[in-house]
Amino acid sequence: MLPLLVKDLTELAQRRRLFLLRAAVAVVGALVVGTALRVPDYAKGDLGGTFYLLGRGARVLDTLVYTTCTAILLVVPAFAATAFTSEKERGSLPLLLLTRLSPWRLVLEKWLGQVAFALSLALVLAPLATVAFALGGIEPERLALAGAVVLLSAGWAAAVGLAWSAWSRTSGGAFLATIGWLGSFLAIAVEFDQPFYGYATWAWLMPPVIYSESTTHWTDCAIAAGAIHAALALAWFWLPRRVEVTGRPLLKRWFAWLDQRFNAAERRWFGRTVAVDLPGDRPVAWRAARGRSLANPRYLVRLLLPVAVLSLIAGLVHPMWQAALLGAACLLMAAVAAAQVAGERDGETLDVLLTSGISPRSLVLQKMTALRQLHLGLAVVLLLPAVITWWLGPGAFTHHRSGWEFWVVLVGIGMLPPLAAWGGTLAGLLVPRRGRAVAFAALGLAVWWLGLPFLIVITALATGHDNSTLEIVLSASSPLTIQVANGEGALNQLPLRDWRVVIAVFSVISNLAYLAILRRLALRLAERCLRRA
Amino acid sequence: MSDVTIRGLHIRYGKTEAVRGLDLDIPAGAIVGFIGPNGAGKTSTIKCMATLVKPFAGSVRVGGHDVAQDPAAVRRVIGYVPDSFGVYDDLTVREYLHFFAAAQGIPGSRRLRLVDDVLALTDLAAKIDAPVEGLSRGMKQRLSISRVLLHDPALLLLDEPASGLDPHARIELRELLKELQRLGKTIVVSSHILHELAQLCSRIAIIDHGRLVAEGALEDIWRTLGLLRLVLVEVANPGEALSEAARRIPGVESVEPSHERLAIRIHEGGVALEDLHAALVAAGARIRGFQAEAMDMESAFLALTRGATHG
């Protein structure tokens, strides 16, 4: 008998939203596979016609595997990371540990539940595999690898999520840690996809990367399976030791430690200053930019110093890492914006504010004013590498740089963080709890900004070359995508070089339109969601 | 003249009807206790008066302004204190009050003096530079009341203000509210702890399942319901003869002897407490202690809500 597994599966089966989620995954999967089928493979001299589909099963299967793994890696961490923290939050974990279920059994049953859920996502896409079979061209070993990679992706996402869920105190913290670790694994697996010790690569850190390799690495699969065991062992180790987590979370303790160092440095270099700081006529903006808020210039400097160093290293090494840093900055803006709006409701201060005469519109606008300082600070440090490479000229570093990269970076840094902030504000207005609002904002951005570029990757994999101009333009992260693509020299292969200018101009215009729409929507929603009478 | 007039108020959250046809008048200068069990509709009604919940049907007028038509005008004449107090833990007391003074649009030149005045009134002047995070629950409650006094509203709406306070803080709150009444404020206080309001309010409104089941002065409700009051008498010479003599006193409903104590239930208005005391002495009782319990509000409440539930 597996009581916890039965309970979890029953709960999952009763959630109506999960049916919608599975339906959405099925629709997106069908669209992606359909795209892969429709686009002719010019690289292989395929110019269309009646029989051009024959023998294309392998490509359809590849697309299907990547789509399934992406769906699993995007969705499963959100559920796995809350598996134990939700028990901690409702106080039922100590009760579970007092039963005859051992910690190892608890971890195993929870893991099986998450893997079952992940495979249910894979199952909705499985019928598309028949299309691949019908078209032919699939080697048996490739098929086995596809199954293994999907299974490993499910097991890996569930195991990492459970390990952080066993460690963390809150669901929000566990989710962020899981996403952060999986993101880091992806970055390492992609960047260091080189054999080490002669027989394996770093691809085992992210199973879909194993599938992308030209040769099959069953050794990588075996190591990935071992890594899943290691993550489950960590969950088993942490679970009974972190049932009642007291004290501040690790991140806050780390920040407090840094804070002490900065305070000491400030006292040493600038002396102790006491300033009376009282609000002017915009009290909400005043409060949002003081205390331990990231909009507070004093704290902003503390954030920006490490970001500046990271930005310099990352930006000078490879544009992709600089783009990733910009993405992280956008996520930060969205999270802060969502947290500061939802926080008023969560902290039960919203009612008091609204009866004090501040309108919901003014409340949102004042909050956004405070965020501008954060945006400005981030923009300055993120622009540093672009300024340096622009100043030194093209060819100063190992990677190809074009002369217009600086302007693309400038557009990206100038427009994307405000866009993220307004998106985060929308999430804060729609979702009442702070943690959920932050997660909702992050998820929304990921779907919008990464979902469409994902189409680019899929079609690129399916067609063998980059002809994804339309997808680039559709995504709000176009400048970012262009920057990355240009770093690889991909856009230089476009039939018309002037298209780059068209894309850049179009992305600026479309992002301005997005900004105007989001701002208007947020202000209108503020009146509807915050004002009651 | 009524400070608040509620007519046929209905409040809905989706399919759930929290308030069903409430009619109520709150006179200026009164302290009105809003009593009801959890989920009765107290908070919804108070939030509606505070312009935070829109009436589904009916009207609520505060200080002559309709909450749905002119919420901005209503906000100028009310001060709302939620049960969570609505404080920012990351500010100091001074910063918190200056924040809300700015939010109320009070000119900067007036704020310093005003903040000092409200802190003096709520006895928090010594805590002016203390972080809000470090204040006790009772102090946070008084800070929240200081906040609503900044713009000098005529009507104070306090949702469960005594919830979670220790006895000392409750007494302080009671004294503060009486002081505010002396200053001419109309105060609406909600609670589900009945005797807590009995000591404070001049009028009581009992609400259950979104309907008003009784309203008026405490004594009036008491007489209407014909409820009994319990008097505990400690005597040096207990005995059956004394108990029998006590039963014969007009207005006494029952007497229960227990060791050296008599539990006497009397009809409100049937016999005055001083007359009961005199009659017992005349009957030969050597009285050591004489304690009239606060009105049996729980009984009143149960009697009223039972009627509403089954009616």
Side-chain angles (χ1 to χ4, degrees):
Chain A
M1 284 294 288
L2 301 167
L4 200 57
L5 176 63
V6 171
K7 180 194 92 98
D8 282 357
L9 289 180
T10 312
E11 275 180 10
L12 285 172
Q14 285 172 343
R15 287 195 199 175
R16 200 178 297 171
R17 268 182 267 179
L18 291 187
F19 287 103
L20 294 175
L21 182 71
R22 289 190 191 100
V25 167
V27 170
V28 171
L31 283 175
V32 172
V33 171
T35 309
L37 268 177
R38 275 182 56 81
V39 182
D41 192 348
Y42 298 112
K44 293 181 179 171
D46 185 359
L47 297 173
T50 314
F51 299 107
Y52 82 99
L53 285 172
L54 292 177
R56 199 177 277 186
R59 191 204 291 180
V60 173
L61 181 71
D62 292 354
T63 310
L64 189 60
V65 169
Y66 289 124
T67 311
T68 308
C69 290
T70 306
I72 287 172
L73 290 168
L74 281 178
V75 175
V76 173
F79 291 88
T82 57
F84 288 126
T85 48
S86 61
E87 303 277 3
K88 287 181 196 178
E89 282 164 349
R90 60 186 178 213
S92 53
L93 187 59
L95 305 180
L96 278 174
L97 286 168
L98 285 173
T99 65
R100 294 176 69 179
L101 295 172
S102 65
W104 182 244
R105 178 109 177 255
L106 290 176
V107 170
L108 198 65
E109 289 194 33
K110 284 279 183 189
W111 181 73
L112 285 173
Q114 296 303 322
V115 171
F117 168 59
L119 292 182
S120 76
L121 289 177
L123 267 180
V124 298
L125 294 172
L128 291 169
T130 55
V131 178
F133 276 115
L135 296 174
I138 302 173
E139 294 165 16
E141 194 189 13
R142 193 75 180 155
L143 189 65
L145 183 67
V149 162
V150 169
L151 202 60
L152 286 171
S153 297
W156 191 217
V160 173
L162 283 182
W164 283 111
S165 193
W167 166 272
S168 305
R169 177 165 43 182
T170 61
S171 297
F175 176 68
L176 288 178
T178 306
I179 290 291
W181 277 88
L182 287 175
S184 309
F185 291 157
L186 176 65
I188 295 170
V190 170
E191 190 65 22
F192 301 104
D193 189 16
Q194 309 290 335
F196 63 105
Y197 297 117
Y199 58 88
T201 68
W202 287 101
W204 58 270
L205 276 173
M206 192 45 71
V209 182
I210 300 174
Y211 193 77
S212 73
E213 292 173 326
S214 53
T215 53
T216 305
H217 285 291
W218 287 104
T219 319
D220 285 335
C221 289
I223 298 175
I228 291 173
H229 279 86
L232 291 177
L234 266 183
W236 163 78
F237 180 76
W238 281 333
L239 188 65
R241 287 166 180 80
R242 295 186 63 83
V243 179
E244 298 285 344
V245 188
T246 52
R248 284 190 286 185
L250 186 67
L251 202 65
K252 279 193 176 175
R253 264 187 287 156
W254 185 54
F255 201 80
W257 180 84
L258 270 179
D259 199 29
Q260 283 176 359
R261 304 283 89 76
F262 272 105
N263 277 332
E266 278 175 7
R267 274 198 301 275
R268 186 170 172 184
W269 294 331
F270 305 109
R272 185 181 284 276
T273 54
V274 178
V276 177
D277 173 29
L278 293 173
D281 294 329
R282 292 167 66 80
V284 178
W286 167 83
R287 186 182 158 263
R290 66 177 309 288
R292 291 184 175 179
S293 157
L294 282 178
N296 180 349
R298 197 161 154 255
Y299 278 85
L300 187 58
V301 170
R302 296 167 195 207
L303 170 79
L304 294 182
L305 280 177
V307 173
V309 175
L310 275 176
S311 175
L312 265 177
I313 296 169
L316 297 181
V317 170
H318 197 294
M320 191 184 87
W321 293 114
Q322 197 193 3
L325 211 56
L326 175 56
C330 290
L331 269 181
L332 180 72
M333 289 284 286
V336 172
Q340 66 178 13
V341 174
E344 294 286 359
R345 211 167 353 199
D346 217 10
E348 300 183 48
T349 45
L350 181 66
D351 285 350
V352 167
L353 266 181
L354 291 180
T355 52
S356 71
I358 289 179
S359 71
R361 184 186 162 87
S362 167
L363 181 75
V364 168
L365 286 173
Q366 288 191 41
K367 295 265 185 199
M368 291 302 290
T369 306
L371 271 182
R372 270 187 220 134
Q373 291 181 36
L374 179 59
H375 176 211
L376 195 66
L378 287 170
V380 169
V381 293
L382 289 173
L383 267 175
L384 270 179
V387 171
I388 290 172
T389 46
W390 186 52
W391 182 50
L392 292 175
F397 297 96
T398 51
H399 282 280
H400 168 82
R401 307 263 172 168
S402 71
W404 59 287
E405 182 191 320
F406 173 76
W407 301 106
V408 170
V409 174
L410 189 67
V411 168
I413 291 170
M415 300 182 78
L416 295 183
L419 210 54
W422 279 107
T425 302
L426 265 180
L429 288 168
L430 291 170
V431 185
R433 311 298 293 185
R434 193 194 318 233
R436 286 183 185 177
V438 170
F440 186 66
L443 193 67
L445 274 191
V447 169
W448 185 23
W449 289 10
L450 299 180
L452 284 171
F454 172 71
L455 281 177
I456 302 169
V457 176
I458 289 293
T459 48
L461 282 168
T463 59
H465 63 87
D466 292 298
N467 60 347
S468 312
T469 312
L470 184 64
E471 285 86 345
I472 291 174
V473 171
L474 280 174
S475 169
S477 58
S478 304
L480 201 66
T481 318
I482 292 168
Q483 187 192 348
V484 176
N486 191 58
E488 300 293 344
L491 283 183
N492 288 331
Q493 296 168 11
L494 284 173
L496 289 170
R497 289 177 65 85
D498 292 342
W499 275 43
R500 291 178 304 183
V501 180
V502 174
I503 292 166
V505 170
F506 194 90
S507 69
V508 170
I509 293 169
S510 61
N511 276 346
L512 277 176
Y514 283 138
L515 199 59
I517 292 167
L518 278 183
R519 186 180 184 277
R520 193 179 167 83
L521 197 62
L523 293 178
R524 189 175 285 184
L525 265 180
E527 290 294 334
R528 191 189 294 177
C529 297
L530 302 182
R531 169 76 73 225
R532 281 80 184 262
Chain B
M1 181 195 161
S2 292
D3 218 19
V4 180
T5 310
I6 301 175
R7 290 287 173 269
L9 177 66
H10 287 259
I11 297 173
R12 276 189 189 174
Y13 302 104
K15 289 179 181 172
T16 309
E17 196 162 20
V19 178
R20 310 165 184 202
L22 189 75
D23 293 297
L24 183 66
D25 289 300
I26 298 174
I31 300 187
V32 176
F34 225 46
I35 299 177
N38 294 331
K42 308 182 297 289
T43 298
S44 295
T45 309
I46 285 186
K47 280 193 166 185
C48 188
M49 287 189 253
T51 73
L52 294 169
V53 169
K54 203 169 185 173
F56 178 76
S59 70
V60 178
R61 297 186 75 81
V62 176
H65 309 285
D66 190 293
V67 293
Q69 305 296 324
D70 196 1
V74 173
R75 281 179 209 122
R76 283 194 288 273
V77 296
I78 60 156
Y80 169 64
V81 179
D83 55 352
S84 59
F85 310 150
V87 291
Y88 289 119
D89 284 341
D90 57 332
L91 302 180
T92 64
V93 168
R94 184 199 302 272
E95 288 167 343
Y96 178 74
L97 291 176
H98 274 269
F99 174 91
F100 277 101
Q104 290 289 358
I106 296 166
S109 55
R110 280 185 53 210
R111 286 181 209 158
L112 278 175
R113 177 75 187 271
L114 199 57
V115 167
D116 288 343
D117 286 351
V118 294
L119 285 176
L121 183 65
T122 51
D123 201 20
L124 278 176
K127 295 285 179 185
I128 188 163
D129 286 315
V132 173
E133 194 175 21
L135 297 182
S136 67
R137 194 170 166 82
M139 285 179 184
K140 283 183 183 174
Q141 172 66 273
R142 279 186 279 145
L143 175 62
S144 199
I145 293 175
S146 304
R147 167 181 63 76
V148 297
L149 294 176
L150 284 169
H151 64 294
D152 195 23
L155 173 67
L156 301 182
L157 302 166
L158 286 76
D159 192 8
E160 305 272 1
S163 163
L165 297 188
D166 60 34
H168 182 72
R170 282 181 191 215
I171 292 167
E172 283 180 342
L173 174 68
R174 200 165 63 213
E175 294 309 311
L176 176 59
L177 294 185
K178 283 180 178 170
E179 177 63 27
L180 291 174
Q181 189 192 23
R182 275 193 288 276
L183 293 172
K185 308 286 181 201
T186 306
I187 303 171
V188 177
V189 190
S190 79
S191 178
H192 60 274
I193 303 168
L194 308 179
H195 67 265
E196 170 181 294
L197 294 186
Q199 300 163 350
L200 175 70
C201 301
S202 52
R203 296 176 76 82
I204 296 284
I206 300 179
I207 185 169
D208 186 45
H209 286 79
R211 292 193 180 93
L212 190 70
V213 289
E215 190 267 329
L218 264 178
E219 288 73 15
D220 296 340
I221 295 175
W222 200 260
R223 283 196 193 92
T224 309
L225 293 172
L227 292 172
L228 302 173
R229 172 179 282 202
L230 180 66
V231 182
L232 297 175
V233 183
E234 201 177 333
V235 291
N237 55 337
E240 188 51 37
L242 183 60
S243 301
E244 196 52 42
R247 281 189 196 100
R248 286 197 296 271
I249 298 170
V252 171
E253 175 68 22
S254 66
V255 177
E256 289 175 29
S258 167
H259 300 294
E260 293 183 343
R261 209 163 63 168
L262 300 176
I264 304 174
R265 284 191 166 76
I266 60 172
H267 289 284
E268 185 68 23
V271 57
L273 289 173
E274 54 275 23
D275 294 338
L276 176 68
H277 185 276
L280 285 171
V281 171
R286 294 168 61 198
I287 297 175
R288 283 179 181 162
F290 186 90
Q291 185 187 358
E293 292 286 284
M295 287 185 179
D296 188 5
M297 293 295 293
E298 277 77 9
S299 302
F301 181 76
L302 283 175
L304 285 163
T305 54
R306 194 181 302 124
T309 307
H310 299 297

